[in-house]
Amino acid sequence: MAKKQTKGWDYSPALESTSHVELKKRYDLYINGEWVKPASKKYFKTINPATEEVLAEVAHANDEDVDRAVKAARKAYTDVWSKTSPSERAKYIYRIARLMQERSREFAVIESLDAGKVIRESRDIDVPLACNHFFYNAGWADKLEYAFPNRTIAPLGVAGQIIPWNFPLLMAAWKIAPALATGNCIVLKPAETTPLTALKLAEIIHDSGLPPGVVNIVTGYGDTGAAIVNHEDVDKIAFTGSTGVGKIIQNAIAGTSKKATLELGGKSANIIMDDAPLDQAVEGIVNGIFFNQGHVCCAGSRLFIQEGVYDKVIEKLKHRMNSLIVGNPLDKNTDIGAINSKEQLDIINGYLKIGQAEGAEMYQSPCDLPETGFYCRPTLFMNVAQSSRLVQEEIFGPVLAIQTFRTVDEVIQKANNTPFGLAAGVWTDKGSRIFNLTTKLRAGVVWANTFNKFDPASPFGGYKESGFGREGGLHGLEGYLKMN
Ligand code: ADP
């Protein structure tokens, strides 16, 4: 049994100071350029999953609140934003990006507090990448006619955007930046467990001088999301979240004129061929599944190892896992932070039981876990059957299902055999093998000798139950335009 850490954090010099990050006790809704109280009169608590402490209370928007936000967005679109020149739009977006950069430390700390993700990741990946989405899309705002030559393009109007809790700020940026660049107005709802950085972004948007109503941020639960989806004056729904909710949204908008992009779940394969650079591949496996506690839609949650290198890979993988530190997200030495919520931890623990009941061999790194907060040890399951729920279902946690294979055809067949098709990774020394596999894997993104690499210029999206439409790059902009 691993030891438990003592209660309370050790404030070592490695710890990111939270002293000058100010959180309000209560957050209202950001509608029409103002902070307004919810008509629902309801607030919910957002907690720090690393300590279970309440961080703030946040407004729970109801149908009336969403209606107010959509009306504000429509009016801003008709009266102001549709008459704002593309180069002016670009200036606002650049300004938002620069203001975010100026306050990047604050964003990083708040993200780690609210989401449980490690500060190294918030600071070095999420926040800079979120800024880059604004910079990248700002650059396109006044060049769209060159991007889509011989087409007549126009914004859609009002975009409803619903985002998940795994990359709260990054998802907000990923949704807002292309919608603004293409001339749309926005009603965005962050996830209920991680609303704080989207609300901080609302402050930045306000400071940027963006005309009131162009971006509205409404907080709440699934009912708030449903109110956005069902509002008759919303032209487009951009959703990132679970496949279950994606299906509900798809049904809700069927038969309406609303457009949609749905970025849903995944069960992505990481494939290690026998000629792969093994140390590099093991780093890629670890990053692929344990990055962000495995709360990644494209996490490399299935590992396929070619038989000849199986023992070596498992040995190296266990060794590397044993060096991972699980704990306080604000400590710069921590590798794996807190699971985002108690609910998600229960789901993950449920899968650990399923794996054991199915007879798969479980290995967990023997690290210490803090006493309070929601934590899970990095976990491997070996000898997992293709039909296992560990292979077929998204767990969204630090749990890796491992299978072996002999031939390329066999691994392609197994890798493609789940309901999902978001991403895959291939590790090999031979370019011809990379080409062969990448063309046959049914996944929206295939990485070769790397994993979890993102860039605002690359399109991202899935096959099958992983959703449809692409976000990022020009494809992402196209999703917010009418074209003739
Ligand atoms: P996750 O597994 O990431 O929690 P969800 O799909 O449950 O994924 O949540 C993603 C986002 O969708 C959240 O902002 C959540 O509040 C919202 N949501 C949940 N249910 C609905 C619904 N029925 N309609 C619209 N949005 C919803």
Side-chain angles (χ1 to χ4, degrees), residues 118-446:
V118 297
I119 190 70
R120 250 184 5 226
E121 185 208 315
S122 307
R123 193 192 55 197
D124 299 344
I125 300 174
D126 293 43
V127 178
L129 197 49
C131 294
N132 284 347
H133 274 272
F134 282 99
F135 280 118
Y136 173 82
N137 284 286
W140 275 121
D142 58 357
K143 300 169 196 71
L144 292 169
E145 74 231 54
Y146 301 105
F148 304 106
N150 309 320
R151 312 284 299 268
T152 311
I153 54 171
L156 297 174
V158 175
Q161 306 183 323
I162 300 167
I163 58 173
W165 44 260
N166 56 343
F167 294 94
L169 179 68
L170 182 57
M171 286 297 114
W174 168 307
K175 295 270 187 279
I176 292 173
L180 285 182
T182 44
N184 294 275
C185 291
I186 294 161
V187 176
L188 176 131
K189 190 195 91 64
E192 50 271 35
T193 59
T194 55
L196 294 182
T197 43
L199 292 164
K200 182 63 62 190
L201 182 59
E203 289 174 17
I204 295 278
I205 286 171
H206 192 82
D207 294 348
S208 76
L210 192 76
V214 174
V215 174
N216 305 277
I217 310 282
V218 292
T219 41
Y221 281 72
D223 58 328
T224 313
I228 297 174
V229 170
N230 294 323
H231 197 290
E232 58 182 19
D233 206 23
V234 169
D235 299 295
K236 148 128 197 180
I237 297 296
F239 172 78
T240 300
S242 62
T243 295
V245 174
K247 285 182 181 173
I248 294 173
I249 292 177
Q250 210 174 344
N251 285 333
I253 63 172
T256 72
S257 57
K258 286 187 182 112
K259 293 202 170 193
T261 42
L262 303 178
E263 203 268 275
L264 310 176
K267 196 75 201 180
S268 300
N270 221 341
I271 300 171
I272 316 289
M273 309 296 299
D274 53 12
D275 63 346
L278 292 189
D279 288 330
Q280 198 185 324
V282 166
E283 278 308 305
I285 298 165
V286 167
N287 168 271
I289 185 61
F290 301 130
F291 168 60
N292 200 31
Q293 297 69 249
H295 301 330
V296 183
C297 49
C298 56
S301 51
R302 288 184 297 150
L303 173 62
F304 291 96
I305 310 174
Q306 200 160 19
E307 277 182 359
V309 288
Y310 181 80
D311 291 341
K312 258 195 220 157
V313 171
I314 294 290
E315 189 196 322
K316 283 176 185 283
L317 182 55
K318 286 183 178 170
H319 187 254
R320 181 69 181 88
M321 276 170 68
N322 294 351
S323 72
L324 297 173
I325 299 170
V326 183
N328 183 0
L330 290 177
D331 188 326
K332 289 169 193 155
N333 296 319
T334 303
D335 299 297
I336 299 184
I339 299 300
N340 186 264
S341 63
K342 166 85 170 55
E343 200 184 16
Q344 187 58 28
L345 182 60
D346 290 344
I347 292 172
I348 297 167
N349 284 335
Y351 277 104
L352 300 188
K353 288 204 182 98
I354 290 168
Q356 288 166 292
E358 284 179 351
E361 185 190 340
M362 183 169 95
Y363 177 80
Q364 291 193 302
S365 53
C367 54
D368 293 349
L369 294 186
E371 215 166 63
T372 47
F374 315 130
Y375 293 92
C376 179
R377 291 194 175 81
T379 305
L380 306 180
F381 276 100
M382 291 155 283
N383 304 321
V384 187
Q386 181 67 25
S387 59
S388 162
R389 289 183 64 189
L390 297 177
V391 166
Q392 295 295 328
E393 297 175 17
E394 184 176 47
I395 300 173
F396 226 62
V399 182
L400 180 63
I402 304 179
Q403 295 174 270
T404 56
F405 67 96
R406 281 194 192 147
T407 66
V408 170
D409 286 347
E410 179 190 349
V411 77
I412 290 169
Q413 195 275 329
K414 282 182 172 167
N416 286 338
N417 180 11
T418 75
F420 302 103
L422 195 51
V426 179
W427 299 82
T428 169
D429 234 10
K430 288 200 186 70
S432 57
R433 275 183 154 176
I434 291 173
F435 185 75
N436 184 25
L437 277 151
T438 51
T439 49
K440 291 178 183 153
L441 288 168
R442 298 192 65 208
V445 180
V446 183

Side-chain angles (χ1 to χ4, degrees), residues 58-116:
V58 179
H60 185 159
N62 65 10
D63 290 8
E64 191 182 331
D65 294 308
V66 167
D67 183 54
R68 203 159 30 145
V70 174
K71 285 200 170 107
R74 175 62 61 190
K75 188 160 182 347
Y77 178 72
T78 311
D79 295 354
V80 184
W81 202 232
S82 59
K83 297 175 185 158
T84 304
S85 70
S87 60
E88 275 297 300
R89 290 203 305 259
K91 282 186 205 161
Y92 285 115
I93 306 169
Y94 278 124
R95 212 174 293 151
I96 294 168
R98 281 195 300 270
L99 287 171
M100 280 176 77
Q101 274 185 323
E102 279 170 23
R103 296 171 72 176
S104 56
R105 196 196 148 279
E106 207 179 333
F107 270 111
V109 172
I110 296 173
E111 196 74 310
S112 284
L113 288 171
D114 207 17

